[in-house]
């Protein structure tokens, strides 16, 4: 057997979690395979066994400090199902308000804090300035908008849940607090400013995509199926059916969230703590698909709020038969969702129900099983609990948003490695391109492995006997 | 005056402490006038350089995290433990009541959606779990403890301000929280 070599990038930076990339070279120095490894595992599915199910909406947000609200809400929905209750209209809207606060803050973080440095300075820029601090120095206005948009979302979360990170608001059967009229009014006043910030960011991204058409169309191109929740065909983030749309626009399947296990399986690879979900009828890897902003905007027919709907029409002009595949469009899609988030916050705050006091439905019955599915900022999130007659957890299954994109992230990294790497000569810009590919998916790797894990990135060059020839970014 | 050099790392945790740091919002711009972030999940440096202040958020749950904690200790003068995971081990320690193998088997073999007929447990090219998740000071000396899940943004900023004034801070009762 000839010499095989492996390049390692570790840590991957400016992503939310811990990971590394290895690039495998054959005897001629040609890239044979690239792998994106998620390096942490924490074991939430195992260690929650025996806990009272009512604790889950407080325990599971600790999976992720970036989108704790997603786990909080998916968990609360699973608990509602165990109680067998349908929550009140006010509780439903307050939960959605909390969720929209999170979408705005999380999408702002992904775009402004983590990804905008690459777009503003370029992939080949000096790594010392290619970060949010560099953006603050060179483009202070953009940095400030990002900070204030994120703050707007975080403040809504704090108002409802008492804290910005790991809030406590949803309880099985409802929520524990309404919103006061004075609070409502102060957020309503900020809506026009926040819409303006999102629109400025949209212009920035559209300009970038326009000016870098070649880079965009050759940046790890791939066509996949797409998954997202929909309600009557519209984009839905809190409660809907799971839709899978094919690469050419056909709706492959649409099923209720509680039936997920019949449709979604998870494949395991020995080299990553992150599993690989797939659509069961097509098997692995043919049944792989993508989720998150790009996936959702492809899966839905339209968006229910007017300004985001208009923007979606423009966005779809870049697609084939209305389906947008290019991974750098994730940023554009993410900002359209941020606009939807702000518009939806406005609609919810203007709804008289939102200040209601009918917050909770109680029940003395326990059903043996509950499933809660929502769209987290990064994609479809599934919590599934089984309990005994006392309410103690007997079984937990979590499928987290980032996991669904695992296959695509791996194939994307491999495409970039194949396009740019020959031998163990790896220019800095290539490393950063591979990292940016990962950043497009905005992976939340602490979520992904719920996770004993973390995600700096390591690139190692490995030869075909498995020996590491060179590691980059790591001692 | 030369800027104070800062490195922050996120080990076995949820990222919430770093999010709480970002929740100082626009006050970060003032902080950046006095502090250079040399290494952190939000910047691109891949190795921890020599710094004045090092921050660890998260517990230690695998061999790589132990390595990084030691490295951070070597490279910094003052080491801060941010958050309940770094200070106490936090939620990660819930797995300490079972063998690590059992937790792995549950996640990668037994859940209802896992399709893994060969029973593969990940472990190739990725860090190996410690038998138990442990707080940072079981491996390296910690100088400043900032508990909380996460510590409040105001508390995180206050700690930096104290250090910039040349004092080793001890978080006062009114800023201390554990939730």
């Amino acid at each position: 057997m000839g010499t095989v070599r492996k390049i390692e990038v570790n840590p991957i930076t400016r992503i939310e979690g811990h990971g590394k990339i290895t690039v495998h070279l054959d005897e001629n120095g040609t890239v044979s395979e690239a792998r994106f490894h998620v390096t942490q595992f924490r074991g939430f599915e195992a260690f929650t066994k025996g806990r009272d199910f009512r604790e889950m909406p407080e325990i599971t947000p600790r999976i992720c400090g970036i989108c704790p609200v997603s786990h909080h809400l998916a968990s609360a929905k699973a608990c509602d199902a165990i109680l067998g209750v349908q929550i009140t209209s006010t509780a439903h809207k307050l939960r959605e308000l909390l969720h929209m606060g999170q979408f705005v803050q999380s999408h702002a973080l992904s775009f402004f804090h983590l990804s905008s440095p690459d777009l503003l300075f370029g992939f080949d820029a000096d790594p010392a300035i290619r970060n949010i601090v560099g953006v603050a120095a060179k483009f202070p206005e953009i940095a400030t908008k990002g900070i204030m948009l994120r703050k707007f979302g975080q403040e809504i979360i704090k108002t409802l849940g008492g804290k910005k990170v790991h809030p406590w608001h949803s309880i099985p059967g409802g929520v524990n607090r309404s919103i006061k009229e004075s609070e409502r009014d102060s957020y309503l006043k900020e809506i026009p400013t926040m819409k303006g910030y999102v629109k400025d960011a949209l212009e920035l991204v559209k300009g970038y995509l326009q000016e870098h058409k070649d880079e965009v169309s050759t940046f790890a191109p791939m066509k996949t199926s797409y998954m997202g929740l929909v309600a009557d065909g519209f984009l839905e983030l809190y409660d809907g059916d799971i839709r899978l749309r094919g690469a050419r626009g056909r709706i492959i399947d649409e099923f209720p969230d509680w039936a997920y296990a019949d449709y979604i399986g998870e494949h395991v690879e020995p080299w990553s703590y992150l599993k690989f979900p797939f659509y069961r009828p097509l098997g692995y890897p043919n049944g792989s698909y993508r989720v998150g902003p790009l996936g959702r905007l492809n899966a839905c027919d339209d968006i229910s709020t007017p300004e985001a709907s208009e923007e979606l029409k423009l966005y779809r002009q870049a697609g084939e038969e209305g389906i947008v595949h290019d991974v750098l469009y994730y940023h554009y899609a993410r900002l359209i969702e941020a606009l939807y988030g702000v518009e939806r916050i406005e609609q919810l705050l203007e709804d008289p129900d939102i200040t209601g006091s009918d917050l909770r439905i109680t029940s003395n019955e326990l059903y043996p099983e509950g499933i809660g599915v929502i769209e987290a900022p990064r994609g479809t999130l599934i919590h599934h609990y089984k309990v005994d007659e006392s309410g103690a957890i007997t079984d937990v299954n979590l499928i987290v948003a980032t996991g669904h994109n695992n296959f695509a992230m791996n194939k994307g990294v491999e495409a970039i490695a194949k396009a740019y790497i020959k031998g163990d000569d790896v220019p800095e810009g290539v490393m950063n391109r591979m990292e940016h590919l990962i950043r497009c998916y905005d992976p939340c790797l602490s979520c992904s492995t719920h996770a004993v894990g973390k995600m700096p990135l390591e690139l190692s060059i490995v030869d075909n006997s498995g020996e590491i020839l060179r590691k980059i970014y790591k001692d | 005056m030369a800027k104070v050099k800062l490195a922050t790392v996120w080990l076995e945790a949820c990222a919430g402490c770093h999010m709480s740091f970002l929740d100082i919002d626009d006050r970060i711009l003032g902080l950046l006038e006095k502090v250079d972030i040399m290494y952190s999940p939000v910047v691109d440096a891949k190795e921890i350089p020599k710094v004045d202040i090092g921050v660890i958020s998260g517990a230690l749950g695998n061999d790589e995290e132990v390595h990084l904690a030691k490295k951070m200790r070597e490279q910094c003068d003052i080491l801060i433990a941010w958050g309940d995971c770094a200070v106490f081990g936090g939620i990660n320690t819930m797995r300490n009541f079972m063998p690590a193998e059992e937790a792995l088997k549950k996640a990668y073999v037994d859940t209802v959606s896992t399709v893994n007929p060969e029973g593969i447990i990940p472990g190739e090219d990725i860090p190996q779990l410690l038998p138990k998740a442990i707080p940072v000071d079981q491996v390296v000396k910690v100088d400043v403890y900032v508990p909380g899940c996460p510590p409040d943004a105001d508390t995180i900023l206050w700690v930096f301000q104290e250090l910039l004034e040349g004092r080793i801070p001890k978080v006062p009762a009114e800023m201390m929280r554990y939730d």
Side-chain angles (χ1 to χ4, degrees), chain A residues 64 66-67 222 232-233 257 303 307 323 326 397 418 467:
Chain A
C64 178
I66 297 155
C67 57
M222 87 169 60
D232 299 325
D257 56 3
I303 298 178
E307 293 173 66
I323 304 295
D326 289 332
N397 189 34
K418 284 183 169 166
E467 191 179 341

Side-chain angles (χ1 to χ4, degrees), chain B residues 9 19 26 41 48 69 100 138 154 166 172:
Chain B
V9 67
M19 293 304 109
D26 44 338
I48 305 173
Q138 290 201 10
D154 291 345

Side-chain angles (χ1 to χ4, degrees), chain B residues 53-154:
Chain B
I53 303 173
V55 172
I56 295 179
S57 73
L60 309 179
N62 66 42
D63 51 4
E64 186 183 42
E65 290 161 355
V66 169
H67 167 77
L68 281 166
K70 288 179 177 166
K71 184 86 190 166
M72 181 64 93
R73 179 69 270 187
E74 262 172 47
Q75 295 293 79
C76 72
D77 293 337
I78 295 168
L79 182 64
I80 308 177
W82 263 359
D84 283 356
C85 296
V87 173
F88 304 112
I91 197 149
N92 310 292
T93 60
M94 284 174 74
R95 82 162 162 89
N96 293 352
F97 301 96
M98 65 179 70
E101 298 71 38
E102 193 182 323
L104 286 165
K105 181 169 174 290
K106 173 66 194 174
Y108 297 103
V109 181
D110 292 342
T111 72
V112 296
S113 52
T114 299
V115 181
N116 185 7
E118 293 162 40
I120 293 167
I121 300 287
E124 192 181 298
D125 280 350
I126 45 182
Q128 301 301 304
L129 299 193
L130 304 182
K132 291 185 191 310
I134 52 176
V136 172
D137 68 1
Q138 290 201 10
V139 172
V140 297
K141 178 174 174 284
V142 170
D143 303 306
V144 181
Y145 293 90
V146 190
C149 186
D152 198 68
D154 291 345

Side-chain angles (χ1 to χ4, degrees), chain A residues 319-333:
Chain A
E320 292 170 46
E321 301 163 82
I323 304 295
V324 180
H325 300 287
D326 289 332
V327 67
L328 285 167
Y329 272 78
Y330 258 100
H331 299 306
Y332 189 178

Side-chain angles (χ1 to χ4, degrees), chain A residues 56-191:
Chain A
M56 294 298 272
E58 277 200 84
I59 293 174
T60 58
R62 268 69 185 185
I63 290 169
C64 178
I66 297 155
C67 57
V69 169
S70 303
H71 290 284
H72 186 59
L73 292 175
S75 183
K77 286 179 73 176
C79 292
D80 296 342
I82 290 171
L83 291 177
V85 300
Q86 182 123 33
I87 62 170
T88 67
S89 165
T90 292
H92 185 113
K93 286 167 187 169
L94 285 164
R95 282 187 186 178
E96 197 186 343
L97 179 63
L98 185 80
H99 197 28
M100 293 304 104
Q102 160 171 265
F103 257 79
V104 170
Q105 72 83 10
S106 174
H107 280 1
L109 174 80
S110 170
F111 180 73
F112 288 97
H113 297 67
L114 303 178
S115 290
S116 78
D118 290 331
L119 308 184
L120 292 166
F121 295 117
F123 293 119
D124 302 306
D126 176 4
I129 58 156
R130 201 178 56 204
N131 55 54
I132 184 67
V133 182
V135 174
K138 182 106 188 278
F139 307 97
E141 200 183 315
I142 294 173
T144 305
K145 284 174 186 167
I147 289 169
M148 298 321 277
L149 187 64
R150 177 173 177 277
K151 181 181 180 182
F152 174 71
Q154 289 286 73
E155 291 286 350
I156 290 176
I157 293 170
K158 185 176 180 178
T159 297
L160 292 173
K163 290 159 69 189
K164 290 180 174 180
V165 179
H166 302 321
W168 182 52
H169 183 243
S170 283
I171 48 179
V175 297
N176 61 18
R177 186 194 192 277
S178 186
I179 191 166
K180 295 177 195 159
E181 288 178 11
S182 58
E183 293 162 345
R184 176 197 65 192
D185 295 344
S186 77
Y187 289 121
L188 273 174
K189 258 199 304 213
E190 290 189 71
I191 294 285

